[in-house]
Amino acid sequence: MQHFTSSLLKIGNRVNTESLDLLYQQYSRQVLSTLIRLLGEFELAEEAMQDAFYAAMQQWPVDGWPEHPVAWLITTGRRKGIDQIRRRQTARRYADEQLHLQDEAEPELDPTAIQDDQLRLIFTCCHPALSADARLALTLRELCGLTTEQVAAALLQKPTTLAQRIVRAKQKIKAAAIPYEIPHANELPARLQSVLQVIYLIYNEGYSSTSGTQLLNIQLADEAIRLGRQLALLLPEPEVHALLALMLLQHARQHARQNANGDLVTLEQQDRTLWLRPMLDEGLQWLALALTKPPAGVYTLQAAIAAVHSNATSYDETDWQQIQGLYQLLYQQWPSPVVALNRAVATAMHQGPEAGLQELDALSSHKAIQNYHLFHAAKADLYRRSGQFQPARIAYQRALALVQQEPERRFLQQRLATLPN
Amino acid sequence: MNYLALVYYQEQQIDAMTEQEWHDLNQQCIRCVEGLSESGHFLAGQALQPTRQATTIRVRDGETLVTDGPFAETKEQLAGFYLLEARDLNEAIQLASKIPPAQLGSVEIRPIRQLPPKDEGESL
């Protein structure tokens, strides 16, 4: 995006930069996703897309805006791309592609085809044959239109590392022939899981980076929600609606999660008047839509848990029994120790800290959970609630040895410091 | 596109099979090859003798060094290969998932690389 904006500035006031900039923000991904299909290559499509917007910037102020700007941009981009292939003509390996493109009739540009191209791009960027890191980087770069530098900054990585990762992912797409297509019905559920995972990972990267000093990186969370909205329009599946609901319900708490000093505020301590009500309401609406098509999947159950919290006036007055039941259902579909940990916390709130501690003890055999700081933090909290301060102290210290995020560390230290002797 | 599907499993697991289990697995593999041939996706393929029959050679400074066993000790061992014709990676994944040992071990799918054209005027 920056690339284009800076070119615009050079031209100065000859064009209405604002409207073109808006057009770029709104349609550049659509144009790109169709150009990848038409030109069959990521890099070439990206260049062609930039060229098309550049051409628009020069022609539209003189000739006026075309009737169908997106179609104009795609057609122009395709022509630019084909020109580019012709310029590469000397290189033998492109000869076949050139023939193929010249033979092809004018491309299909009806709205359905363009919508399908956006889905093709989503499924290709989130293809399970790409590494999880590559999926994340590629999605942010190609689907969100962030620059490599922006992606690197958001993921706390070096731009060179990230650029290399994106290049390698594109090389694999080409060399292994990962097709630019929407998965067939029989593959769709599994492939959709991968897409939802990537979007939720982006959201969580934004919600709380795994290390570093900043707790909230709003931009990534916003990008994830934008992707969630787009997917909900393109592929109206219950789990897609549920993921959007889950992200909105959590994001609505953004101002309450952190105090003025940047310290973590737990759900229990949060000022619930700071929760963004319209965002919660929107989340609840998407959840209601997801719930119309049972059985509830993992995102629907997680969104339902977030919804119970959002409907409670306080931590203590939360319907913990329902939350415990929802975590139980979630555990049946997704038997992860982290889900069991959350269920134990709900049990403790519903049946008392001793019952919760019993569930946590049953989890201790999992090796991975022993290295998870929140396991020890939850244990410490339950010991503290039941008045067992010495075991609480030991558990806080264990959690502190494992925690990576600065605001969480400060929170745990403060809890440890205020523990009665 | 051509892909090579490399079939890996733990030879130990195979060694521990009964005669009947081993027989059944082989029959499944025969049927798999038949199916892939009929649909035109099977270009070539063979099962391999276990790695204890392997010999590894390295040529250094014109000298051929010969050692017993596979090139590296791995948890799973190469047991066979299929050369497949597929439209794209998605089809290759679908085809490879039908290879019976995929249920025991792993199948690695590798796109075939075309060598560049031979340099003119040179004889190899």
Side-chain angles (χ1 to χ4, degrees):
Chain A
M1 203 180 300
Q2 279 177 345
H3 191 76
F4 182 65
T5 315
S6 58
S7 327
L8 270 175
L9 292 175
K10 277 180 222 152
I11 306 287
N13 53 12
R14 262 185 51 214
V15 288
N16 183 347
T17 49
E18 229 170 72
S19 51
L20 266 170
D21 229 6
L22 202 67
L23 190 80
Y24 187 90
Q25 278 174 25
Q26 267 189 314
Y27 298 116
S28 67
R29 300 302 108 190
Q30 267 186 37
V31 173
L32 177 69
S33 61
T34 300
L35 285 176
I36 294 173
R37 170 169 59 90
L38 298 175
L39 298 169
E41 201 194 310
F42 272 73
E43 294 293 340
L44 183 63
E46 236 161 274
E47 271 174 49
M49 187 263 294
Q50 297 284 354
D51 287 349
F53 273 91
Y54 191 76
M57 195 172 64
Q58 290 177 315
Q59 289 181 29
W60 295 4
V62 183
D63 305 340
W65 282 50
E67 200 183 335
H68 301 291
V70 174
W72 189 97
L73 288 161
I74 291 170
T75 314
T76 307
R78 176 173 177 268
R79 215 174 302 128
K80 300 272 180 193
I82 292 173
D83 287 349
Q84 179 66 26
I85 293 173
R86 287 206 185 108
R87 280 198 292 276
R88 293 171 177 175
Q89 204 167 10
T90 42
R92 193 195 310 233
R93 61 199 170 111
Y94 289 108
D96 293 344
E97 288 172 50
Q98 191 204 357
L99 281 176
H100 167 71
L101 282 166
Q102 280 175 335
D103 289 347
E104 203 178 291
E106 274 301 301
E108 256 189 282
L109 289 182
D110 67 89
T112 324
I114 291 178
Q115 277 207 347
D116 283 354
D117 285 335
Q118 289 173 273
L119 272 179
R120 287 186 182 100
L121 184 56
I122 292 173
F123 279 105
T124 306
C125 290
C126 300
H127 198 285
L130 300 171
S131 74
D133 285 346
R135 281 180 240 168
L136 199 62
L138 208 56
T139 301
L140 287 169
R141 180 76 186 78
E142 307 301 325
L143 282 168
C144 301
L146 302 185
T147 63
T148 303
E149 288 73 22
Q150 286 171 326
V151 179
L155 299 178
L156 307 172
Q157 309 244 341
K158 277 193 219 145
T160 46
T161 312
L162 210 95
Q164 201 176 37
R165 188 173 296 159
I166 290 171
V167 167
R168 284 195 182 143
K170 286 178 184 167
Q171 278 170 352
K172 178 157 187 193
I173 290 172
K174 204 171 164 182
I178 292 178
Y180 197 58
E181 66 177 23
I182 303 165
H184 304 291
N186 62 337
E187 299 166 22
L188 193 67
R191 292 285 306 278
L192 183 59
Q193 275 306 313
S194 169
V195 172
L196 298 176
Q197 240 172 37
V198 170
I199 296 176
Y200 197 39
L201 204 60
I202 291 172
Y203 178 77
N204 280 315
E205 280 289 332
Y207 204 69
S208 64
S209 302
T210 46
S211 58
T213 50
Q214 266 292 325
L215 186 67
L216 287 176
N217 181 347
I218 304 292
Q219 202 196 349
L220 273 190
D222 288 341
E223 288 296 342
I225 290 170
R226 203 185 57 76
L227 281 175
R229 283 188 202 286
Q230 189 192 0
L231 194 60
L233 284 177
L234 295 170
L235 199 69
E237 294 277 328
E239 282 285 273
V240 174
H241 295 148
L243 172 62
L244 180 55
L246 175 62
M247 294 191 294
L248 289 167
L249 291 172
Q250 291 185 353
H251 203 45
R253 300 182 207 144
Q254 57 181 295
H255 300 305
R257 288 192 86 230
Q258 213 173 3
N259 67 16
N261 303 327
D263 285 336
L264 181 86
V265 183
T266 60
L267 191 57
E268 185 176 6
Q269 311 284 341
Q270 281 176 24
D271 175 358
R272 293 180 181 224
T273 61
L274 293 176
W275 290 1
L276 303 171
R277 206 64 236 181
M279 204 184 275
L280 286 178
D281 290 339
E282 198 202 339
L284 292 172
Q285 279 169 21
W286 286 111
L287 174 62
L289 192 59
L291 287 167
T292 56
K293 282 192 205 160
V298 292
Y299 289 102
T300 307
L301 290 167
Q302 290 178 84
I305 291 163
V308 176
H309 284 300
S310 70
N311 286 330
T313 49
S314 73
Y315 194 70
D316 286 332
E317 274 160 63
T318 305
D319 187 348
W320 288 105
Q321 189 175 2
Q322 200 183 352
I323 289 184
Q324 185 194 20
L326 287 166
Y327 271 120
Q328 183 55 34
L329 289 174
L330 185 59
Y331 188 77
Q332 281 162 13
Q333 285 189 39
W334 181 22
S336 122
V338 177
V339 175
L341 167 61
N342 282 298
R343 187 190 53 195
V345 172
T347 302
M349 288 307 295
H350 172 48
Q351 295 168 344
E354 293 295 343
L357 279 167
Q358 259 176 23
E359 279 190 34
L360 287 182
D361 277 343
L363 269 177
S364 305
S365 56
H366 285 274
K367 260 189 199 152
I369 203 99
Q370 285 293 346
N371 292 322
Y372 186 48
H373 68 280
L374 289 180
F375 172 71
H376 300 284
K379 237 174 148 170
D381 192 53
L382 295 189
Y383 279 129
R384 183 182 62 84
R385 284 173 196 271
S386 64
Q388 302 178 67
F389 300 125
Q390 190 47 31
R393 193 164 287 116
I394 294 166
Y396 275 127
Q397 279 158 351
R398 188 92 185 83
L400 273 165
L402 294 165
V403 71
Q404 284 187 328
Q405 213 185 338
E406 202 44 44
E408 285 192 310
R409 177 188 306 282
R410 287 201 299 271
F411 170 79
L412 290 168
Q413 272 164 344
Q414 187 247 332
R415 273 289 158 98
L416 180 60
T418 52
L419 214 56
N421 275 314
Chain B
M1 282 285 290
N2 292 347
Y3 297 87
L4 188 66
L6 296 149
V7 181
Y8 292 87
Y9 53 54
Q10 287 183 34
E11 288 175 353
Q12 278 183 336
Q13 204 181 339
I14 298 297
D15 292 345
M17 277 185 170
T18 64
E19 282 288 333
Q20 189 60 45
E21 284 169 338
W22 175 238
H23 174 82
D24 292 347
L25 180 63
N26 280 288
Q27 293 303 312
Q28 282 172 24
C29 291
I30 292 167
R31 282 196 294 275
C32 172
V33 171
E34 269 176 10
L36 290 170
S37 303
E38 276 163 27
S39 59
H41 294 106
F42 183 84
L43 299 179
Q46 294 290 339
L48 301 178
Q49 294 277 3
T51 52
R52 54 181 175 272
Q53 318 298 354
T55 304
T56 301
I57 64 150
R58 291 174 179 85
V59 180
R60 298 289 181 273
D61 302 323
E63 204 178 330
T64 304
L65 306 165
V66 180
T67 49
D68 171 48
F71 88 101
E73 296 293 336
T74 48
K75 203 170 156 234
E76 291 182 326
Q77 294 79 31
L78 184 65
F81 66 91
Y82 289 71
L83 184 62
L84 300 170
E85 165 66 39
R87 192 179 59 242
D88 51 43
L89 184 65
N90 283 2
E91 190 176 46
I93 291 171
Q94 292 256 318
L95 297 172
S97 66
K98 291 180 190 149
I99 297 174
Q103 295 173 38
L104 298 171
S106 334
V107 177
E108 179 178 322
I109 303 168
R110 297 273 295 269
I112 295 297
R113 179 170 68 94
Q114 297 297 335
L115 290 174
K118 191 180 142 191
D119 287 345
E120 308 239 339
E122 275 180 48
S123 58
L124 288 176

PDB file of all heavy atoms in Angstrom, chain A residues 54-70:
ATOM      1  N   TYR A  54      -1.217   2.284 -11.164  1.00  0.00           N
ATOM      2  CA  TYR A  54      -0.416   3.408 -11.646  1.00  0.00           C
ATOM      3  C   TYR A  54      -1.035   3.990 -12.920  1.00  0.00           C
ATOM      4  O   TYR A  54      -1.161   5.206 -13.073  1.00  0.00           O
ATOM      5  CB  TYR A  54       1.023   2.940 -11.899  1.00  0.00           C
ATOM      6  CG  TYR A  54       1.972   4.081 -12.134  1.00  0.00           C
ATOM      7  CD1 TYR A  54       2.431   4.864 -11.067  1.00  0.00           C
ATOM      8  CD2 TYR A  54       2.401   4.386 -13.423  1.00  0.00           C
ATOM      9  CE1 TYR A  54       3.294   5.923 -11.288  1.00  0.00           C
ATOM     10  CE2 TYR A  54       3.272   5.447 -13.650  1.00  0.00           C
ATOM     11  CZ  TYR A  54       3.708   6.210 -12.583  1.00  0.00           C
ATOM     12  OH  TYR A  54       4.565   7.257 -12.797  1.00  0.00           O
ATOM     13  N   ALA A  55      -1.474   3.093 -13.795  1.00  0.00           N
ATOM     14  CA  ALA A  55      -2.115   3.526 -15.044  1.00  0.00           C
ATOM     15  C   ALA A  55      -3.408   4.279 -14.736  1.00  0.00           C
ATOM     16  O   ALA A  55      -3.714   5.301 -15.355  1.00  0.00           O
ATOM     17  CB  ALA A  55      -2.387   2.317 -15.939  1.00  0.00           C
ATOM     18  N   ALA A  56      -4.157   3.792 -13.765  1.00  0.00           N
ATOM     19  CA  ALA A  56      -5.418   4.426 -13.377  1.00  0.00           C
ATOM     20  C   ALA A  56      -5.151   5.851 -12.901  1.00  0.00           C
ATOM     21  O   ALA A  56      -5.864   6.787 -13.254  1.00  0.00           O
ATOM     22  CB  ALA A  56      -6.090   3.611 -12.274  1.00  0.00           C
ATOM     23  N   MET A  57      -4.071   5.986 -12.140  1.00  0.00           N
ATOM     24  CA  MET A  57      -3.711   7.278 -11.568  1.00  0.00           C
ATOM     25  C   MET A  57      -3.424   8.303 -12.663  1.00  0.00           C
ATOM     26  O   MET A  57      -3.708   9.473 -12.528  1.00  0.00           O
ATOM     27  CB  MET A  57      -2.465   7.032 -10.735  1.00  0.00           C
ATOM     28  CG  MET A  57      -2.090   8.068  -9.786  1.00  0.00           C
ATOM     29  SD  MET A  57      -0.736   7.366  -8.823  1.00  0.00           S
ATOM     30  CE  MET A  57       0.492   7.151 -10.084  1.00  0.00           C
ATOM     31  N   GLN A  58      -2.868   7.809 -13.783  1.00  0.00           N
ATOM     32  CA  GLN A  58      -2.534   8.732 -14.865  1.00  0.00           C
ATOM     33  C   GLN A  58      -3.708   8.976 -15.801  1.00  0.00           C
ATOM     34  O   GLN A  58      -3.890  10.078 -16.294  1.00  0.00           O
ATOM     35  CB  GLN A  58      -1.347   8.174 -15.662  1.00  0.00           C
ATOM     36  CG  GLN A  58      -0.068   8.239 -14.847  1.00  0.00           C
ATOM     37  CD  GLN A  58       1.092   7.618 -15.597  1.00  0.00           C
ATOM     38  OE1 GLN A  58       0.965   6.539 -16.175  1.00  0.00           O
ATOM     39  NE2 GLN A  58       2.227   8.288 -15.581  1.00  0.00           N
ATOM     40  N   GLN A  59      -4.520   7.937 -16.020  1.00  0.00           N
ATOM     41  CA  GLN A  59      -5.570   8.060 -17.046  1.00  0.00           C
ATOM     42  C   GLN A  59      -6.892   8.580 -16.522  1.00  0.00           C
ATOM     43  O   GLN A  59      -7.563   9.353 -17.202  1.00  0.00           O
ATOM     44  CB  GLN A  59      -5.799   6.704 -17.716  1.00  0.00           C
ATOM     45  CG  GLN A  59      -4.640   6.305 -18.608  1.00  0.00           C
ATOM     46  CD  GLN A  59      -4.894   4.965 -19.288  1.00  0.00           C
ATOM     47  OE1 GLN A  59      -6.033   4.589 -19.543  1.00  0.00           O
ATOM     48  NE2 GLN A  59      -3.828   4.248 -19.570  1.00  0.00           N
ATOM     49  N   TRP A  60      -7.277   8.130 -15.347  1.00  0.00           N
ATOM     50  CA  TRP A  60      -8.619   8.476 -14.888  1.00  0.00           C
ATOM     51  C   TRP A  60      -8.844   9.978 -14.694  1.00  0.00           C
ATOM     52  O   TRP A  60      -9.906  10.483 -15.050  1.00  0.00           O
ATOM     53  CB  TRP A  60      -8.978   7.710 -13.610  1.00  0.00           C
ATOM     54  CG  TRP A  60      -9.056   6.228 -13.830  1.00  0.00           C
ATOM     55  CD1 TRP A  60      -8.769   5.562 -14.988  1.00  0.00           C
ATOM     56  CD2 TRP A  60      -9.438   5.248 -12.884  1.00  0.00           C
ATOM     57  NE1 TRP A  60      -8.940   4.217 -14.818  1.00  0.00           N
ATOM     58  CE2 TRP A  60      -9.353   3.985 -13.534  1.00  0.00           C
ATOM     59  CE3 TRP A  60      -9.845   5.279 -11.568  1.00  0.00           C
ATOM     60  CZ2 TRP A  60      -9.655   2.800 -12.897  1.00  0.00           C
ATOM     61  CZ3 TRP A  60     -10.160   4.100 -10.927  1.00  0.00           C
ATOM     62  CH2 TRP A  60     -10.066   2.868 -11.585  1.00  0.00           C
ATOM     63  N   PRO A  61      -7.841  10.702 -14.171  1.00  0.00           N
ATOM     64  CA  PRO A  61      -8.082  12.150 -14.013  1.00  0.00           C
ATOM     65  C   PRO A  61      -8.305  12.835 -15.352  1.00  0.00           C
ATOM     66  O   PRO A  61      -9.005  13.837 -15.427  1.00  0.00           O
ATOM     67  CB  PRO A  61      -6.800  12.644 -13.353  1.00  0.00           C
ATOM     68  CG  PRO A  61      -6.208  11.448 -12.709  1.00  0.00           C
ATOM     69  CD  PRO A  61      -6.556  10.303 -13.597  1.00  0.00           C
ATOM     70  N   VAL A  62      -7.739  12.277 -16.421  1.00  0.00           N
ATOM     71  CA  VAL A  62      -7.887  12.869 -17.751  1.00  0.00           C
ATOM     72  C   VAL A  62      -9.164  12.368 -18.423  1.00  0.00           C
ATOM     73  O   VAL A  62     -10.004  13.148 -18.861  1.00  0.00           O
ATOM     74  CB  VAL A  62      -6.659  12.511 -18.642  1.00  0.00           C
ATOM     75  CG1 VAL A  62      -6.782  13.182 -20.006  1.00  0.00           C
ATOM     76  CG2 VAL A  62      -5.367  12.918 -17.943  1.00  0.00           C
ATOM     77  N   ASP A  63      -9.324  11.050 -18.461  1.00  0.00           N
ATOM     78  CA  ASP A  63     -10.448  10.444 -19.192  1.00  0.00           C
ATOM     79  C   ASP A  63     -11.718  10.305 -18.355  1.00  0.00           C
ATOM     80  O   ASP A  63     -12.751   9.910 -18.879  1.00  0.00           O
ATOM     81  CB  ASP A  63     -10.053   9.038 -19.705  1.00  0.00           C
ATOM     82  CG  ASP A  63      -8.790   9.082 -20.546  1.00  0.00           C
ATOM     83  OD1 ASP A  63      -8.454  10.176 -21.047  1.00  0.00           O
ATOM     84  OD2 ASP A  63      -8.138   8.033 -20.695  1.00  0.00           O
ATOM     85  N   GLY A  64     -11.617  10.532 -17.069  1.00  0.00           N
ATOM     86  CA  GLY A  64     -12.761  10.280 -16.187  1.00  0.00           C
ATOM     87  C   GLY A  64     -12.741   8.847 -15.674  1.00  0.00           C
ATOM     88  O   GLY A  64     -12.051   7.989 -16.235  1.00  0.00           O
ATOM     89  N   TRP A  65     -13.509   8.610 -14.608  1.00  0.00           N
ATOM     90  CA  TRP A  65     -13.525   7.271 -14.011  1.00  0.00           C
ATOM     91  C   TRP A  65     -14.287   6.305 -14.886  1.00  0.00           C
ATOM     92  O   TRP A  65     -15.347   6.654 -15.409  1.00  0.00           O
ATOM     93  CB  TRP A  65     -14.178   7.331 -12.622  1.00  0.00           C
ATOM     94  CG  TRP A  65     -13.242   7.871 -11.589  1.00  0.00           C
ATOM     95  CD1 TRP A  65     -12.514   9.010 -11.681  1.00  0.00           C
ATOM     96  CD2 TRP A  65     -12.931   7.271 -10.330  1.00  0.00           C
ATOM     97  NE1 TRP A  65     -11.757   9.170 -10.550  1.00  0.00           N
ATOM     98  CE2 TRP A  65     -11.991   8.120  -9.701  1.00  0.00           C
ATOM     99  CE3 TRP A  65     -13.349   6.114  -9.684  1.00  0.00           C
ATOM    100  CZ2 TRP A  65     -11.468   7.834  -8.451  1.00  0.00           C
ATOM    101  CZ3 TRP A  65     -12.828   5.840  -8.434  1.00  0.00           C
ATOM    102  CH2 TRP A  65     -11.895   6.685  -7.830  1.00  0.00           C
ATOM    103  N   PRO A  66     -13.767   5.092 -15.045  1.00  0.00           N
ATOM    104  CA  PRO A  66     -14.504   4.114 -15.849  1.00  0.00           C
ATOM    105  C   PRO A  66     -15.777   3.674 -15.128  1.00  0.00           C
ATOM    106  O   PRO A  66     -15.899   3.857 -13.913  1.00  0.00           O
ATOM    107  CB  PRO A  66     -13.520   2.946 -15.979  1.00  0.00           C
ATOM    108  CG  PRO A  66     -12.592   3.093 -14.841  1.00  0.00           C
ATOM    109  CD  PRO A  66     -12.537   4.543 -14.486  1.00  0.00           C
ATOM    110  N   GLU A  67     -16.672   3.077 -15.891  1.00  0.00           N
ATOM    111  CA  GLU A  67     -17.958   2.667 -15.321  1.00  0.00           C
ATOM    112  C   GLU A  67     -17.764   1.549 -14.285  1.00  0.00           C
ATOM    113  O   GLU A  67     -18.377   1.547 -13.236  1.00  0.00           O
ATOM    114  CB  GLU A  67     -18.875   2.197 -16.448  1.00  0.00           C
ATOM    115  CG  GLU A  67     -20.333   2.209 -16.062  1.00  0.00           C
ATOM    116  CD  GLU A  67     -21.204   1.677 -17.189  1.00  0.00           C
ATOM    117  OE1 GLU A  67     -20.790   1.753 -18.375  1.00  0.00           O
ATOM    118  OE2 GLU A  67     -22.297   1.172 -16.874  1.00  0.00           O
ATOM    119  N   HIS A  68     -16.872   0.606 -14.621  1.00  0.00           N
ATOM    120  CA  HIS A  68     -16.584  -0.503 -13.699  1.00  0.00           C
ATOM    121  C   HIS A  68     -15.100  -0.476 -13.332  1.00  0.00           C
ATOM    122  O   HIS A  68     -14.282  -1.117 -14.007  1.00  0.00           O
ATOM    123  CB  HIS A  68     -16.931  -1.850 -14.342  1.00  0.00           C
ATOM    124  CG  HIS A  68     -18.361  -1.950 -14.752  1.00  0.00           C
ATOM    125  ND1 HIS A  68     -19.389  -2.007 -13.834  1.00  0.00           N
ATOM    126  CD2 HIS A  68     -18.933  -1.985 -15.983  1.00  0.00           C
ATOM    127  CE1 HIS A  68     -20.540  -2.087 -14.495  1.00  0.00           C
ATOM    128  NE2 HIS A  68     -20.286  -2.057 -15.793  1.00  0.00           N
ATOM    129  N   PRO A  69     -14.747   0.282 -12.283  1.00  0.00           N
ATOM    130  CA  PRO A  69     -13.328   0.459 -11.962  1.00  0.00           C
ATOM    131  C   PRO A  69     -12.575  -0.858 -11.736  1.00  0.00           C
ATOM    132  O   PRO A  69     -11.453  -1.012 -12.227  1.00  0.00           O
ATOM    133  CB  PRO A  69     -13.361   1.288 -10.677  1.00  0.00           C
ATOM    134  CG  PRO A  69     -14.699   1.928 -10.640  1.00  0.00           C
ATOM    135  CD  PRO A  69     -15.616   1.007 -11.363  1.00  0.00           C
ATOM    136  N   VAL A  70     -13.190  -1.805 -11.027  1.00  0.00           N
ATOM    137  CA  VAL A  70     -12.481  -3.052 -10.726  1.00  0.00           C
ATOM    138  C   VAL A  70     -12.192  -3.823 -12.006  1.00  0.00           C
ATOM    139  O   VAL A  70     -11.077  -4.309 -12.229  1.00  0.00           O
ATOM    140  CB  VAL A  70     -13.279  -3.915  -9.729  1.00  0.00           C
ATOM    141  CG1 VAL A  70     -12.615  -5.267  -9.529  1.00  0.00           C
ATOM    142  CG2 VAL A  70     -13.395  -3.202  -8.386  1.00  0.00           C
TER     143      VAL A  70
END
